[in-house]
Amino acid sequence: IVNITIDGIPVSCPETTLILDAAKMAGIDIPVLCYHPDLKVRATCRVCIVEVKGQKKFKTACGNEVWDGAEFITNSPAVRQARKDILELILAEHPQDCLKCVRNTNCELQKLARDFGISKPQFANKPNPIPIEDSNGVIVRDMAKCVKCGRCVEVCQEVQTVGAINTAHRSVEYEITTAFDRSLQDTVCVYCGQCIAVCPVGALYEKDETEKVWQAIADADKHVVVQVAPAVRVALGEEFGMAPGSIATGKMVAALRRLGFDKVFDTDFAADVTIMEEGNELLERMSHGGVLPLITSCSPGWINFVETFYPELLPHVSSCKSPQQMFGALAKTYYAQKAGIDAGKMTVVSIMPCTAKKYESARPEINGSGYRDVDVVITTRELARMIKQAGIDFNKLDDQEFDAPLGISTGAAVIFGTSGGVMEAALRTVYEVVTGKELVDVDFESVRGLTGIKEAEVDLDGKKVKVAIANGLKNARQILDKIKAGECDYQFVEIMCCPGGCIGGGGQPHGTTKAVREERMAGIYQADRELPIRQSHKNPAVTALYEEFLGKPLSRKSHELLHTHYHP
Ligand code: HC1
Ligand code: SF4
């Protein structure tokens, strides 16, 4: 423990504390731009500089730890002027088109410019004339707006270990780019969108497809159904001032109905179906000497990753399509038949916390209904934009319920939205199928939490099943390397591309940090506890689906509609 003062306020803290964090203890928020609490410190922008009593040079608050007896000044005229100069230099290179920028009103640079009262910049505005790159159909890169903070590189290289983007050149030429400046689709990018999630400005964003949705809704000939992913309901509220993790399911359903969707359905229904199919696939593989461990297949960034980096492990990946795609296939067959609707005139829209879902829905091998199963995918952020455009006062909406039958789901489905959830949902069902006994306590605490890799041995009434869960691709790599080396005896592995699972997806409201993920995760488990049915095989709408349409899990029809094969 060391004793320091910050702007005259005494603070006692461990000597490994960053000046930035010590200042927080004194109730002082030092401005930052390149710093992100979840990422390695680069200290490149220098917006966070502070003065140290007795020293001539400024120090960065994010890049330096405190020492005993130090006296920091965060708010002297010299510090303020230096920060302002730094910001003005950044702004001199930055396009001044805030009005039509996707990050208008939640841009970190815009906020700093406002906080520092920069109204008449001292330097001429000369942005780099770099064209927008959006040919991949998922992620837009507007590098003219890049402030070179390096957060996207840090997340792509260190958290996801993908390495699709990197820094290049030095000095004034310094930039963030892909190898050989290629378009993103010609790189190893998996479309996880984590680079978008950490970008402080409008340099990276998802390809906006809200116009397609507006058009479908306005088309009287179209029957437009919408499905919402589990993790959206605990994050959407943030766009309307709610705390992270607030469960906004009822208001979200009401808003979707107001927007004009003909049916408001739930991806959670299809998540329950996934458990029926994947749970049986696991049992089938375990009893017939199939390839083990079985690895989950619902996270499309993870699928892109395994195809690119570990194609030899594809036989381990479940043949189940993701819930999003199962939903699309069932909407355009089962639901269309039941409701007497021409599937050719149906539009299926997904609301996803994920950018890779846009890519997944466009994959040719994924369609089973005879049409494109999911027509348009928009992110949580895009949905919020639509609600705002429609002038809907989200917070004043009364809660509403999803439509039947594809809106009926269980607690096992909602936990898909967080790391460990697919595993727990599967165990809740597999236990009862294997033992023939009722599961008294459905909470499998050992598979929960934000830890990167979780391992557990689950006792199915004497039969032991070894499972592992990884979230974030760096952690996935560790498990995959073990499987490749034949060093593990897991039977079932869950892999989610994004840190924390879908709650931390690349399409979620901006401002995702570890703390925010924790809140959203807590929201997911609360939503689970509040549901009357918490096991997928007890979902009456799923039972009806099998009785009326599919026959049984892994039936021929199930295989045609709900399973697929990925290719290296
Ligand atoms: Fe997910 Fe899934 S949990 S992949 O994270 O299996 O995106 O939320 O919808 O499909 O159900 C995402 C979330 C989502 C699928 C389900
Ligand atoms: Fe890297 Fe993911 Fe961004 Fe692609 S989407 S550049 S893989 S962080």
Side-chain angles (χ1 to χ4, degrees), residues 227-232 267-268 270-272 274 297-300 321-325 351-355 357 360 413-418 422 496 501-503 505 508 524:
Q227 59 166 324
V228 196
V232 175
T267 310
D268 290 22
D272 280 330
T274 304
S297 57
C298 33
S299 165
K321 290 181 188 172
S322 72
Q324 150 166 289
Q325 294 304 139
I351 319 290
M352 292 284 143
C354 173
T355 44
K357 289 277 175 200
E360 177 185 58
V414 77
I415 59 175
F416 265 59
T418 183
V422 182
M496 283 288 172
C502 294
I503 47 164
Q508 292 283 52
I524 288 274

Side-chain angles (χ1 to χ4, degrees), residues 101-145:
C101 179
V102 67
R103 294 296 296 275
N104 189 15
T105 74
N106 81 6
C107 164
E108 295 179 37
L109 179 61
Q110 190 186 48
K111 179 180 183 301
L112 288 170
R114 190 171 56 233
D115 289 354
F116 278 81
I118 295 170
S119 50
K120 269 198 212 136
Q122 42 181 325
F123 310 114
N125 182 231
K126 285 193 187 137
N128 273 331
I130 307 171
I132 289 179
E133 202 266 291
D134 68 349
S135 51
N136 62 77
V138 179
I139 289 175
V140 185
R141 295 172 68 240
D142 183 356
M143 287 297 111
K145 288 191 185 147

Side-chain angles (χ1 to χ4, degrees), residues 139 152 155-156 160 162 164-165 184 188-195:
I139 289 175
C152 57
V155 89
C156 188
Q160 297 297 57
V162 172
I165 46 177
L184 220 43
V188 289
C189 173
V190 300
Y191 298 127
C192 68
Q194 287 303 307
C195 50

Side-chain angles (χ1 to χ4, degrees), residues 189-265:
C189 173
V190 300
Y191 298 127
C192 68
Q194 287 303 307
C195 50
I196 300 176
V198 297
C199 181
V201 295
L204 296 165
Y205 50 96
E206 72 277 37
K207 187 161 178 136
D208 188 305
E209 289 177 290
T210 54
E211 200 47 48
K212 279 190 195 163
V213 182
W214 287 121
Q215 276 173 19
I217 290 172
D219 186 341
D221 266 354
K222 290 270 184 212
H223 182 78
V224 190
V225 308
V226 64
Q227 59 166 324
V228 196
V232 175
R233 63 207 68 197
V234 294
L236 178 64
E238 292 163 36
E239 291 274 359
F240 303 95
M242 294 182 188
S246 306
I247 304 169
T249 318
K251 291 190 193 308
M252 176 181 79
V253 171
L256 290 166
R257 225 165 251 136
R258 283 250 190 120
L259 286 175
F261 288 103
D262 294 301
K263 291 286 173 190
V264 181
F265 289 143

Side-chain angles (χ1 to χ4, degrees), residues 6 26 28 40 148 171 178 315 319 367 418 421 425 442 468 484-485 498:
I6 298 188
I28 296 161
K40 200 172 80 200
K148 302 171 187 179
S171 179
T178 57
S319 64
N367 296 310
T418 183
V442 299
K484 240 172 93 172
C498 293

Side-chain angles (χ1 to χ4, degrees), residues 315 343 371 450 525:
Y371 303 91
L450 278 179
Y525 287 115

